[in-house]
mmCIF file of all heavy atoms in Angstrom:
data_model
loop_
_atom_site.group_PDB
_atom_site.id
_atom_site.type_symbol
_atom_site.label_atom_id
_atom_site.label_comp_id
_atom_site.label_asym_id
_atom_site.label_seq_id
_atom_site.Cartn_x
_atom_site.Cartn_y
_atom_site.Cartn_z
ATOM 1 N N GLU A 123 -139.167 -39.538 11.634
ATOM 2 C CA GLU A 123 -138.955 -39.092 13.014
ATOM 3 C C GLU A 123 -139.280 -37.611 13.166
ATOM 4 O O GLU A 123 -139.862 -37.194 14.165
ATOM 5 C CB GLU A 123 -137.498 -39.354 13.424
ATOM 6 C CG GLU A 123 -137.198 -38.954 14.851
ATOM 7 C CD GLU A 123 -135.760 -39.214 15.265
ATOM 8 O OE1 GLU A 123 -135.017 -39.901 14.539
ATOM 9 O OE2 GLU A 123 -135.377 -38.719 16.343
ATOM 10 N N ALA A 124 -138.946 -36.821 12.170
ATOM 11 C CA ALA A 124 -139.171 -35.373 12.231
ATOM 12 C C ALA A 124 -140.640 -35.004 12.057
ATOM 13 O O ALA A 124 -141.087 -33.981 12.580
ATOM 14 C CB ALA A 124 -138.335 -34.671 11.157
ATOM 15 N N PHE A 125 -141.373 -35.811 11.317
ATOM 16 C CA PHE A 125 -142.781 -35.528 11.010
ATOM 17 C C PHE A 125 -143.650 -36.725 11.395
ATOM 18 O O PHE A 125 -144.216 -37.405 10.524
ATOM 19 C CB PHE A 125 -142.952 -35.218 9.525
ATOM 20 C CG PHE A 125 -142.250 -33.974 9.068
ATOM 21 C CD1 PHE A 125 -141.025 -34.045 8.413
ATOM 22 C CD2 PHE A 125 -142.810 -32.722 9.287
ATOM 23 C CE1 PHE A 125 -140.383 -32.911 7.985
ATOM 24 C CE2 PHE A 125 -142.166 -31.576 8.860
ATOM 25 C CZ PHE A 125 -140.947 -31.664 8.208
ATOM 26 N N PRO A 126 -143.806 -37.013 12.675
ATOM 27 C CA PRO A 126 -144.518 -38.230 13.086
ATOM 28 C C PRO A 126 -145.992 -38.266 12.681
ATOM 29 O O PRO A 126 -146.560 -39.341 12.555
ATOM 30 C CB PRO A 126 -144.367 -38.232 14.606
ATOM 31 C CG PRO A 126 -144.082 -36.820 14.972
ATOM 32 C CD PRO A 126 -143.336 -36.233 13.821
ATOM 33 N N GLY A 127 -146.615 -37.148 12.431
ATOM 34 C CA GLY A 127 -148.027 -37.134 12.061
ATOM 35 C C GLY A 127 -148.271 -37.156 10.566
ATOM 36 O O GLY A 127 -149.409 -37.032 10.119
ATOM 37 N N ARG A 128 -147.209 -37.316 9.788
ATOM 38 C CA ARG A 128 -147.347 -37.286 8.332
ATOM 39 C C ARG A 128 -146.847 -38.581 7.709
ATOM 40 O O ARG A 128 -145.961 -39.223 8.233
ATOM 41 C CB ARG A 128 -146.548 -36.121 7.730
ATOM 42 C CG ARG A 128 -147.082 -34.751 8.081
ATOM 43 C CD ARG A 128 -146.168 -33.681 7.483
ATOM 44 N NE ARG A 128 -146.630 -32.352 7.786
ATOM 45 C CZ ARG A 128 -147.274 -31.572 6.939
ATOM 46 N NH1 ARG A 128 -147.544 -31.988 5.722
ATOM 47 N NH2 ARG A 128 -147.653 -30.368 7.295
ATOM 48 N N SER A 129 -147.401 -38.893 6.559
ATOM 49 C CA SER A 129 -146.888 -39.997 5.759
ATOM 50 C C SER A 129 -145.641 -39.490 5.033
ATOM 51 O O SER A 129 -145.643 -38.379 4.487
ATOM 52 C CB SER A 129 -147.960 -40.417 4.749
ATOM 53 O OG SER A 129 -147.462 -41.377 3.873
ATOM 54 N N VAL A 130 -144.569 -40.250 5.031
ATOM 55 C CA VAL A 130 -143.343 -39.867 4.328
ATOM 56 C C VAL A 130 -143.199 -40.778 3.116
ATOM 57 O O VAL A 130 -143.143 -42.000 3.248
ATOM 58 C CB VAL A 130 -142.110 -39.966 5.248
ATOM 59 C CG1 VAL A 130 -140.834 -39.621 4.486
ATOM 60 C CG2 VAL A 130 -142.270 -39.032 6.451
ATOM 61 N N VAL A 131 -143.162 -40.153 1.937
ATOM 62 C CA VAL A 131 -143.157 -40.879 0.671
ATOM 63 C C VAL A 131 -141.909 -40.504 -0.116
ATOM 64 O O VAL A 131 -141.629 -39.316 -0.305
ATOM 65 C CB VAL A 131 -144.418 -40.520 -0.158
ATOM 66 C CG1 VAL A 131 -144.434 -41.255 -1.489
ATOM 67 C CG2 VAL A 131 -145.688 -40.800 0.641
ATOM 68 N N GLY A 132 -141.176 -41.482 -0.583
ATOM 69 C CA GLY A 132 -140.004 -41.232 -1.418
ATOM 70 C C GLY A 132 -140.393 -41.149 -2.881
ATOM 71 O O GLY A 132 -141.199 -41.946 -3.352
ATOM 72 N N LEU A 133 -139.820 -40.165 -3.573
ATOM 73 C CA LEU A 133 -140.059 -40.003 -5.008
ATOM 74 C C LEU A 133 -138.725 -39.871 -5.729
ATOM 75 O O LEU A 133 -137.865 -39.080 -5.317
ATOM 76 C CB LEU A 133 -140.894 -38.751 -5.296
ATOM 77 C CG LEU A 133 -142.338 -38.766 -4.854
ATOM 78 C CD1 LEU A 133 -142.997 -37.420 -5.132
ATOM 79 C CD2 LEU A 133 -143.109 -39.871 -5.552
ATOM 80 N N SER A 134 -138.555 -40.606 -6.814
ATOM 81 C CA SER A 134 -137.332 -40.518 -7.597
ATOM 82 C C SER A 134 -137.115 -39.080 -8.054
ATOM 83 O O SER A 134 -138.028 -38.447 -8.594
ATOM 84 C CB SER A 134 -137.420 -41.443 -8.813
ATOM 85 O OG SER A 134 -136.272 -41.274 -9.610
ATOM 86 N N SER A 135 -135.914 -38.573 -7.829
ATOM 87 C CA SER A 135 -135.629 -37.177 -8.147
ATOM 88 C C SER A 135 -134.405 -37.002 -9.029
ATOM 89 O O SER A 135 -133.923 -35.882 -9.196
ATOM 90 C CB SER A 135 -135.457 -36.381 -6.849
ATOM 91 O OG SER A 135 -136.660 -36.373 -6.127
ATOM 92 N N ARG A 136 -133.907 -38.060 -9.608
ATOM 93 C CA ARG A 136 -132.734 -37.932 -10.482
ATOM 94 C C ARG A 136 -133.016 -37.031 -11.684
ATOM 95 O O ARG A 136 -132.157 -36.239 -12.063
ATOM 96 C CB ARG A 136 -132.237 -39.295 -10.935
ATOM 97 C CG ARG A 136 -131.424 -39.991 -9.852
ATOM 98 C CD ARG A 136 -130.696 -41.209 -10.415
ATOM 99 N NE ARG A 136 -129.811 -41.730 -9.410
ATOM 100 C CZ ARG A 136 -128.484 -41.567 -9.425
ATOM 101 N NH1 ARG A 136 -127.922 -40.893 -10.386
ATOM 102 N NH2 ARG A 136 -127.742 -42.081 -8.480
#
Side-chain angles (χ1 to χ4, degrees):
E123 181 180 349
F125 296 100
R128 293 177 180 258
S129 174
V130 178
V131 180
L133 291 176
S134 176
S135 296
R136 281 192 173 255

